[in-house]
Amino acid sequence: MNALLAGVDFGVTTTQRGGTLRVTVAGDVDAATAPRLAAFLRTDRVVRRVELDLSGVTYFSSAGMEVVLGARRAGADVVLVAVAPPVERLLALLPPL
């Protein structure tokens, strides 16, 4: 599944292999786009693990981090498999995930 929002620097691609869903994000993750990312993490597919690839993220706000933490609180096994420097800067401020 692919999603690219017209006029917004944000895109998500998902692929599923067995019980693992890989969500690849590109562009800005902020208050405007975070709800769209959350929609991709809420899935009706049968998955045991969500691999979140944030290597293409150009901006990552606290709204994006709240989406990731919210998915974990909801019981999803979300694993960050790649992060871009904007994400690393935010992660450096938090306790280990």
Side-chain angles (χ1 to χ4, degrees):
M1 177 187 336
N2 294 320
L4 188 59
L5 305 171
V8 177
D9 184 20
F10 178 76
V12 176
T13 304
T14 61
T15 55
Q16 186 172 349
R17 180 174 294 170
T20 299
L21 176 68
R22 186 174 190 107
V23 178
T24 303
V25 183
D28 294 350
V29 181
D30 56 20
T33 59
R36 294 175 180 106
L37 175 58
F40 281 93
L41 295 180
R42 284 187 308 268
T43 178
D44 59 355
R45 300 172 208 163
V46 177
V47 296
R48 291 184 300 274
R49 176 184 172 110
V50 176
E51 295 178 345
L52 190 54
D53 181 342
L54 302 174
S55 61
V57 171
T58 52
Y59 175 77
F60 196 76
S61 75
S62 60
M65 185 54 66
E66 179 56 34
V67 168
V68 174
L69 295 174
R72 284 186 170 182
R73 282 192 298 269
D77 180 18
V78 179
V79 178
L80 302 179
V81 294
V83 296
V87 180
E88 287 177 358
R89 285 191 287 276
L90 184 56
L91 289 174
L93 300 173
L94 300 173
L97 297 177

